[in-house]
């Protein structure tokens, strides 16, 4: 029986894209007889410096659980393009949306350091980040995850059902902004909020958190993809997501209600707290 080969995720982070381009340039320059040897060697070293960083970080970061590893493999094996009609834009799901090992361990470290007991996630996809955080929550901990796509929510739930920590997670399917308004009237405040959903909704999601009591006074918000493949700071044309993230970053930087820091982890994460 022949098994289908799982395609490797394409680079979708500023660092991953940089490493790929440097490796490509180093290979091209190697064949040019007119290029100085020292220049070739310097370019080769720069390419190696870039391409080796993320693998090294992953190798020296605490290993993911078997449940998280299985979730990753299942996500990579899924044929996501077939879930959508030809011509769909903006709502497609793809394996590259997975938070992944290093970011998952980063989120677990934040949950541990804060001793968080209640977590809200806006944007679930197949559930990697949710399950990673749930693994760090105490047995009585609660994580509520908002997801628009019913198939992705079902996919994630099947992974949670196979985990010893999945019972801590409750999935709410529907538009996140509507779910947030409902939760604001029914739920106690959350210690930690992870935002990783549609990028044009980021400003609205944070406004609801700050204007309601969803975010505890000591709470921390972590926002994903705030470097968006480098588009917010690169010249030239940008995608709709790149423009949305640039707008979000500019808006938050000027908001006196909060303090924030952008960290170059994967595609960029921003940590936000009330001033």
């Amino acid at each position: 029986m022949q098994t289908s080969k799982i395609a490797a995720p394409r680079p979708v982070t500023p660092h991953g894209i940089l490493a790929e381009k440097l490796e490509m340039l180093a290979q091209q320059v190697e064949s040019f007889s007119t290029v100085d040897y020292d220049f070739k060697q310097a370019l080769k070293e720069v390419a190696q410096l870039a391409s080796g960083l993320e693998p090294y970080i992953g190798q020296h970061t605490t290993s993911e659980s078997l449940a998280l590893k299985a979730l990753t493999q299942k996500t990579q094996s899924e044929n996501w393009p077939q879930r959508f009609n030809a011509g769909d834009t903006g709502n497609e799901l793809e394996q590259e949306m997975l938070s992944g090992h290093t970011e998952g361990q980063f989120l677990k470290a934040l949950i541990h350091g804060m001793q968080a007991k209640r977590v809200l996630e806006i944007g679930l996809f197949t559930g990697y980040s949710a399950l990673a955080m749930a693994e760090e929550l105490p047995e009585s901990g609660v994580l509520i995850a908002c997801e628009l796509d019913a198939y992705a929510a079902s996919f994630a739930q099947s992974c949670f059902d196979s985990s010893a920590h999945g019972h801590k997670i409750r999935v709410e399917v529907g538009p996140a902004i509507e779910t947030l308004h409902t939760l604001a009237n029914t739920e106690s405040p959350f210690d930690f909020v992870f935002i990783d959903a549609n990028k044009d909704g980021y400003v609205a999601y944070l406004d609801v958190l700050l204007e309601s009591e969803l975010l505890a006074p000591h709470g921390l918000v972590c926002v994903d993809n705030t470097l968006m493949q480098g588009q917010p700071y690169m010249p030239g044309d940008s995608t709709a997501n790149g423009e949305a993230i640039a707008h979000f970053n500019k808006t938050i930087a000027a908001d006196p209600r909060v303090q924030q820091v952008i960290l170059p982890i994967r595609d960029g994460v921003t940590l936000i707290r009330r001033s």
Side-chain angles (χ1 to χ4, degrees), residues 235-254:
D237 295 334
S238 179
T239 64
N241 280 340
E243 292 176 358
I245 288 298
H247 172 66
F248 174 78
N249 291 340
K250 183 177 180 179
T251 300
I252 299 310

Side-chain angles (χ1 to χ4, degrees), residues 65 67 131 134-135 139 159-169:
S65 67
L131 185 55
E135 290 180 348
E139 186 60 26
C159 296
F160 300 156
D161 291 342
S162 301
S163 166
H165 300 274
H167 66 280
K168 304 173 190 175
I169 304 171

Side-chain angles (χ1 to χ4, degrees), residues 57-131:
I57 290 173
Q59 291 164 9
H60 294 82
T61 295
T62 299
S63 299
E64 61 190 351
S65 67
L66 292 177
L68 288 172
K69 186 174 294 186
L71 190 155
T72 297
Q73 293 172 343
K74 184 176 180 180
T75 301
Q76 293 177 339
S77 299
E78 179 74 8
N79 187 351
W80 293 104
Q82 75 175 359
R83 310 299 316 171
F84 307 96
N85 296 321
D88 281 355
T89 58
N91 295 316
E92 299 93 336
L93 301 180
E94 54 184 358
Q95 64 164 313
E96 287 82 6
M97 292 179 172
L98 200 73
S99 297
H101 173 210
T102 301
E103 188 170 358
Q105 291 300 319
F106 173 70
L107 292 172
K108 293 179 75 167
L110 292 176
I111 298 298
H112 178 83
M114 295 182 65
Q115 296 185 321
K117 297 180 180 178
R118 290 180 54 79
V119 174
L120 174 63
E121 180 173 67
I122 304 172
L124 174 68
F125 187 40
T126 58
Y128 190 100
S129 53
L131 185 55

